[in-house]
Amino acid sequence: RLAGFTFLFYIAVGLTAMAIDNRAMNAEGTAAKLVRMAEHAADVRATLVLSVLMSLSALVLAVTLHALTRDEDADLALLALSCRVGEGLVGLAGIPATLGLLRLATSAAAPGAPDPAGANALAGYLLSVGDGGVLVCAILFAVGSTLFGYLFLRARTIPTALAWLGVIASVLLVVALPAQLGGVLKGPLTMYVWMPMLLFEVTFALWLMIKGVAARAPR
């Protein structure tokens, strides 16, 4: 039940953070983004708080899903746990870059502020670091989800169709995210590849909260 609730909480917080971040950062060009961040500083700080909640949720899911799968294969379950823990830690590590961006945005008109060219160059670097951190988090999530999904499928502790949906949705991300990192996958497709995972996680979360997991299938 804790795992199921955390899935839903993670999804709700993540979607909220995306909406607020879009409102605070929706501008073309680095200089325009800095201006918009200064105008929506409270929104930026709200996304940072939500990022902390998302990272902690990833850690909770790492532990709870490990507890549900370690009897099937302790080594694979530990590897999956490590991926989800890495996801949470990388998410937390990205907070300083956003704080730096916010400092640049809000101090542009203050005495001793860096020159606009230097501020834009530094802001562009920090934006790239932030985008890269998000992608690294997503890759760690996808690998961990694939391993956990495989263990649930092998153990037959959840419906087979649901387990297969989780494996397929996870493998799709394992393929698509490195392609995005390499510049092969671009545009709206980078969002569409997440739809099967969203369907799986909502269904899986409700199943865990209502039905739980069954005993492992006999060999």
Side-chain angles (χ1 to χ4, degrees):
R1 290 194 182 95
L2 177 59
F5 170 80
T6 306
F7 268 121
L8 295 179
F9 180 78
Y10 196 170
I11 293 169
V13 171
L15 292 176
T16 303
M18 286 177 61
I20 297 176
D21 183 69
N22 183 64
R23 183 172 62 190
M25 302 281 289
N26 187 18
E28 291 293 334
T30 302
K33 287 183 184 295
L34 288 176
V35 172
R36 191 164 181 87
M37 286 182 70
E39 295 172 348
H40 296 82
D43 287 339
V44 176
R45 294 192 180 278
T47 60
L48 293 178
V49 174
L50 294 176
S51 295
V52 172
L53 295 178
M54 291 170 62
S55 296
L56 294 178
S57 296
L59 299 180
V60 172
L61 285 172
V63 174
T64 52
L65 294 177
H66 175 265
L68 294 174
T69 56
R70 63 189 175 193
D71 291 337
E72 181 61 27
D73 189 312
D75 294 329
L76 284 181
L78 181 59
L79 179 58
L81 175 143
S82 301
C83 289
R84 297 305 304 262
V85 168
E87 172 199 346
L89 295 180
V90 172
L92 290 172
I95 291 177
T98 305
L99 285 174
L101 275 170
L102 184 60
R103 178 66 180 271
L104 281 174
T106 55
S107 64
D115 65 278
N120 288 342
L122 180 56
Y125 170 75
L126 292 175
L127 285 169
S128 298
V129 169
D131 291 342
V134 170
L135 200 51
V136 169
C137 279
I139 292 172
L140 289 170
F141 161 82
V143 175
S145 181
T146 300
L147 294 172
F148 278 131
Y150 168 72
L151 291 173
F152 279 116
L153 178 63
R154 203 171 81 173
R156 299 293 193 270
T157 52
I158 63 174
T160 303
L162 181 59
W164 269 115
L165 175 60
V167 171
I168 293 170
S170 301
V171 170
L172 176 62
L173 291 176
V174 169
V175 174
L177 291 170
Q180 183 180 346
L181 183 64
V184 178
L185 187 66
K186 300 177 182 178
L189 283 177
T190 60
M191 295 298 296
Y192 294 151
V193 294
W194 286 93
M195 294 301 103
M197 179 56 68
L198 178 61
L199 174 62
F200 164 70
E201 288 202 336
V202 172
T203 307
F204 185 37
L206 294 175
W207 183 270
L208 289 176
M209 294 179 70
I210 298 171
K211 293 289 188 179
V213 295
R216 291 173 60 212
R219 295 291 180 189

